[in-house]
Amino acid sequence: FKSHIRPGMTVVDIGAHIGFFTRLFSRRAGSSGKVIAFEADAENYDLLTKNTNNRLNVVRVPVAIGDHEGTIDFYHLEGSTGCHSTVLPETKAQKVTVPLTTLDAKLTELEVDRVDLIKMDIEGGEPLALKGMLNTLKNNPNVMLVTEFNPSAIASGNTSPTEYLHSIEELGFKLYAITKGHLLTTSSATIMEQLSNFHRTGYINILCSRRDVV
């Protein structure tokens, strides 16, 4: 993020949690830039607000991002702050209903016509969110996408993990696994074979770019 976010950029943070990356994005984008932070969990959103209320370039939105507008079941995990999701978890969770929108629709409402980078970490909800941002990705050919890739969580949302990455490639993106210290070129065809080599937890973050970055 420090390498790619510059003053004046517009950054979207989907799954902003309590604002750690939102604050970084705010500093990097500067007063001429903008950060739009989405967080559906009420407790996390309160902390996100407290942690960014002095950041004038941050717009906070308390909704989930998906493939349509309306509402959706949202699962608040007990004893965790970062694993809440629209995907039914295997562990005990409190189910609530939260507002849902698409990134395309919300950016239109906010009159945002340019996006430079999107960070997305929503615990298995990424495939549906991707479907709701197709216009944004189409209209911003140089946009970068950083997405968490957690095969187990994605599969729990009834999506093939490999197909999720393949759908990103079909939009013209190249995939780079983010590992300690450097990026590794990968693809939807090989990612599952390589996953254990990238990170012992079974999930990684992937940089998606239409331009060569390594």
Side-chain angles (χ1 to χ4, degrees), residues 8-182:
M9 283 188 168
T10 298
V11 183
V12 174
D13 190 352
I14 302 175
H17 194 232
I18 66 170
F20 179 86
F21 283 107
T22 306
R23 287 169 60 92
L24 171 63
F25 301 157
S26 173
R27 291 195 300 271
R28 300 298 295 179
S31 59
S32 60
K34 179 180 292 186
V35 181
I36 305 161
F38 295 91
E39 177 54 51
D41 182 76
E43 291 182 3
N44 284 346
Y45 184 80
D46 286 345
L47 290 170
L48 170 68
T49 300
K50 291 177 181 178
N51 289 329
T52 61
N53 61 7
N54 63 339
R55 306 279 175 162
L56 300 182
N57 62 350
V58 173
V59 177
R60 295 172 295 274
V61 188
V63 304
I65 295 296
D67 63 347
H68 66 280
E69 296 181 84
T71 60
I72 194 169
D73 290 340
F74 186 82
Y75 301 93
H76 179 99
L77 271 67
E78 298 181 6
S80 172
T81 66
C83 296
H84 313 313
S85 176
T86 57
V87 175
L88 180 64
E90 296 180 356
T91 56
K92 185 177 180 181
Q94 175 188 5
K95 185 175 77 170
V96 297
T97 301
V98 300
L100 177 74
T101 191
T102 68
L103 183 61
D104 288 344
K106 196 62 185 181
L107 293 183
T108 297
E109 178 186 329
L110 294 173
E111 299 182 343
V112 174
D113 56 8
R114 193 197 82 204
V115 176
D116 298 287
L117 187 144
I118 300 169
K119 168 237 163 192
M120 179 164 58
D121 181 356
I122 47 176
E123 304 300 318
E126 292 86 1
L128 293 182
L130 183 72
K131 292 180 180 179
M133 64 175 73
L134 296 181
N135 287 338
T136 299
L137 298 179
K138 176 183 178 181
N139 295 333
N140 293 274
N142 294 323
V143 67
M144 285 186 169
L145 169 67
V146 176
T147 175
E148 182 183 68
F149 180 64
N150 184 332
S152 177
I154 291 172
S156 294
N158 298 316
T159 300
S160 161
T162 302
E163 284 303 311
Y164 167 58
L165 294 184
H166 182 61
S167 65
I168 297 176
E169 290 174 321
E170 288 185 323
L171 295 169
F173 290 94
K174 300 177 182 180
L175 308 181
Y176 302 90
I178 301 174
T179 66
K180 188 175 182 179
H182 58 284

Side-chain angles (χ1 to χ4, degrees), residues 175-193:
L175 308 181
Y176 302 90
I178 301 174
T179 66
K180 188 175 182 179
H182 58 284
L183 300 173
L184 293 178
T185 304
T186 187
S187 71
S188 60
T190 61
I191 186 67
M192 298 303 290
E193 299 174 4

